[in-house]
């Protein structure tokens, strides 16, 4: 089994956090989004992962590439880096990794997380991960006849289904998907100037290939700051319920209270502070004389005299709630 992970650009909706690292490498509860994603996929497919192919832009840099390969290796897989030179759509992105599209594959977009307990139907030609939603008009959905998918509908105005496509797909034959997407590229079949995966899926369906849904229990977005903070909170709750130890023994806690669930990484220092619930503090972060809840703080941050709720603070950031002098860079937000 191989996993193909299109990562596109750094993510403008999460600036300034994505100016130095791409969105999929932002840690959620102490682990990068893309790391959690491929781990969870591995848990569902319950098969050995041979390779994880990451599709990125060249400007991500060598350190990001090294980090991505390390994530694959932690799962016992080969890590491969491919480049998408231009943002020409989902099908174009996936085809950037065409050399890895053989045998059974999973395609997963790297800005979403999920929780699922279904068994992958490897007899189907394709399994589309879906989540039941209250307002299907905001999503692409699948239409069912019994256990099979009969249609893909993008943002339906009239109700056809409440099963939204979350952006993770299994294909029994990577070669078949590659052939269908190559057909789109060769014949310049686009929508809005972009080559779309859904057009390839439609062609496969018309040829009689069998699509079935894989229903996930939870679907968590990491598209912008607010939903990323919410996803961090939800995931902390799941991990706490699962019994994971989320507070490092190497954290230094003085006259402070931690209200679970919280992730406290190693070398964090808490002094005269209350943290939680639903807070992640990255490695070597220092918090003094502060109250923090429902927030995501990355590594090596320094926070003092703060009262934070629904906050997202980046690596090596300094925040003093009593500030009188301030230096703010591009895309920074204080509210």
């Amino acid at each position: 089994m191989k996993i193909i992970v299109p990562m596109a650009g750094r993510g403008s909706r999460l600036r300034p956090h994505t100016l130095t690292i791409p969105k999929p490498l932002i840690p959620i509860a102490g682990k990068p989004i893309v790391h959690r994603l491929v781990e969870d996929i591995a848990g569902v497919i319950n098969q050995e992962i041979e390779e994880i192919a990451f599709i990125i832009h060249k400007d991500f840099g060598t350190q990001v590439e090294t980090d991505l390969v390390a994530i694959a290796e932690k799962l016992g897989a080969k890590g491969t880096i491919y480049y998408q030179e231009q943002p020409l759509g989902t099908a174009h992105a996936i085809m950037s990794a065409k050399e890895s599209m053989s045998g059974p594959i999973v395609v997963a977009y790297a800005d979403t997380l999920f929780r699922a307990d279904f068994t992958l139907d490897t007899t189907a030609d394709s399994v589309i991960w879906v989540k039941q939603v209250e307002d299907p008009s905001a999503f692409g959905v699948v239409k069912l006849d019994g256990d099979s998918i009969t249609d893909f509908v993008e943002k339906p105005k009239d109700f056809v289904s409440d099963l939204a496509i979350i952006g993770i797909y299994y294909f029994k034959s990577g070669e078949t998907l590659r052939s269908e997407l190559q057909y789109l590229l060769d014949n310049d079949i686009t929508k809005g100037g972009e080559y779309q995966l859904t057009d390839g899926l439609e062609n496969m369906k018309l040829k009689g290939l069998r699509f079935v849904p894989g229903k996930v229990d939870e679907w968590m977005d990491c598209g912008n700051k607010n939903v990323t903070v919410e996803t961090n909170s939800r995931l902390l709750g799941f991990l706490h319920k699962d019994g994971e130890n989320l507070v490092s023994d190497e954290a230094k806690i003085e006259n402070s209270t931690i209200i679970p669930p919280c992730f406290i990484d190693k070398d964090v220092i808490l002094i005269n502070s209350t943290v939680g619930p639903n807070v992640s503090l990255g490695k070597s972060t220092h918090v003094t004389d502060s109250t923090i809840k429902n927030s995501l703080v990355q590594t090596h941050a320094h926070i003092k005299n703060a009262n934070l709720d629904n906050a997202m603070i980046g690596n090596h950031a300094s925040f003093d709630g009593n500030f009188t002098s301030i230096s703010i860079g591009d895309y920074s937000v204080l509210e």
Side-chain angles (χ1 to χ4, degrees):
M1 178 74 71
K2 299 178 181 179
I3 302 176
I4 311 293
V5 186
M7 293 176 57
R10 289 187 175 275
S12 60
R13 291 187 298 160
L14 260 175
R15 288 174 176 164
H17 302 280
T18 52
L19 292 178
T20 58
I21 61 170
K23 178 170 58 177
L25 286 179
I26 289 176
I28 300 292
K31 193 176 291 185
I33 294 168
V34 68
H35 192 168
R36 291 199 175 279
L37 173 64
V38 295
E39 275 189 345
D40 291 343
I41 291 172
V44 169
I45 63 178
N46 197 28
Q47 297 181 32
E48 182 178 351
I49 300 174
E50 172 187 346
E51 179 184 8
I52 303 176
F54 301 97
I55 302 159
I56 66 174
H57 195 277
K58 278 189 175 180
D59 72 0
F60 279 17
T62 56
Q63 185 57 55
V64 168
E65 295 180 19
T66 299
D67 292 344
L68 291 172
V69 169
I71 287 172
E73 291 175 346
K74 285 179 181 177
L75 289 169
K78 172 187 175 184
T80 308
I81 304 296
Y82 293 98
Y83 304 110
Q84 184 187 22
E85 301 292 344
Q86 295 177 284
L88 297 178
T90 53
H92 180 268
I94 294 165
M95 284 296 285
S96 299
K98 61 184 178 182
E99 289 86 356
S100 295
M101 294 172 65
S102 60
I105 65 172
V106 171
V107 175
Y109 298 110
D111 60 355
T112 190
L113 293 172
F114 69 94
R115 302 275 286 186
D117 192 27
F118 67 87
T119 300
L120 187 70
D121 183 358
T122 55
T123 66
D125 295 297
S126 178
V127 179
I128 313 297
W129 268 247
V130 295
K131 173 70 173 70
Q132 191 171 27
V133 295
E134 292 185 4
D135 180 15
S137 66
F139 305 96
V141 301
V142 298
K143 189 176 181 180
L144 299 183
D145 181 6
D147 294 331
S148 296
I149 295 172
T150 60
D151 205 0
F152 309 100
V153 183
E154 183 64 27
K155 297 181 180 179
K157 294 182 179 179
D158 299 319
F159 182 86
V160 295
S161 168
D162 59 1
L163 295 177
I165 300 170
I166 74 167
I168 306 175
Y169 311 80
Y170 162 81
F171 299 95
K172 184 164 64 175
S173 169
E175 293 88 349
T176 298
L177 177 65
R178 183 177 64 198
S179 176
E180 292 297 338
L181 298 187
Q182 188 65 55
Y183 178 83
L184 300 181
L185 299 180
D186 291 344
N187 293 276
D188 199 27
I189 298 173
T190 64
K191 287 182 180 176
E194 296 186 341
Y195 303 94
Q196 299 296 346
L197 171 61
T198 48
D199 288 331
L201 299 181
E202 185 65 26
N203 289 341
M204 293 167 68
K205 180 174 66 67
L206 292 174
K207 291 179 178 178
L209 276 68
R210 177 171 168 257
F211 290 79
V212 301
K215 297 181 181 179
V216 304
D217 302 316
E218 299 286 344
W219 176 22
M220 295 165 282
D221 188 16
C222 299
N224 60 43
K225 171 257 178 180
N226 283 334
V227 297
T228 301
V229 171
E230 180 185 353
T231 290
N232 178 70
S233 296
R234 291 173 63 188
L235 189 57
L236 286 171
F238 296 139
L239 297 174
H240 181 69
K241 187 176 180 180
D242 292 344
E244 285 201 29
N245 179 23
L246 301 175
V247 179
S248 172
D249 293 336
E250 298 178 48
K252 181 180 179 181
I253 302 169
E254 294 184 3
N255 193 34
S256 296
T257 301
I258 298 174
I259 304 172
C262 287
F263 171 81
I264 310 295
D265 209 342
K266 64 180 181 179
D267 299 325
V268 166
I269 297 176
L270 300 181
I271 301 174
N272 300 326
S273 296
T274 299
V275 173
N278 306 318
V279 172
S280 287
L281 299 179
K283 183 175 64 174
S284 299
T285 286
H286 294 189
V287 179
T288 306
D289 298 318
S290 297
T291 299
I292 307 176
K293 59 183 178 181
N294 305 313
S295 295
L296 174 57
V297 181
Q298 297 182 51
T299 66
H300 300 90
H302 284 73
I303 300 169
K304 62 182 180 178
N305 306 314
N307 187 356
L308 299 177
D309 187 3
N310 190 36
M312 188 169 176
I313 295 178
N315 300 293
H316 300 277
S318 294
F319 180 83
D320 185 340
N322 292 333
F323 61 81
T324 56
S325 175
I326 190 166
S327 176
I328 296 293
D330 296 347
Y331 304 105
S332 296
V333 178
L334 292 176
E335 295 178 322

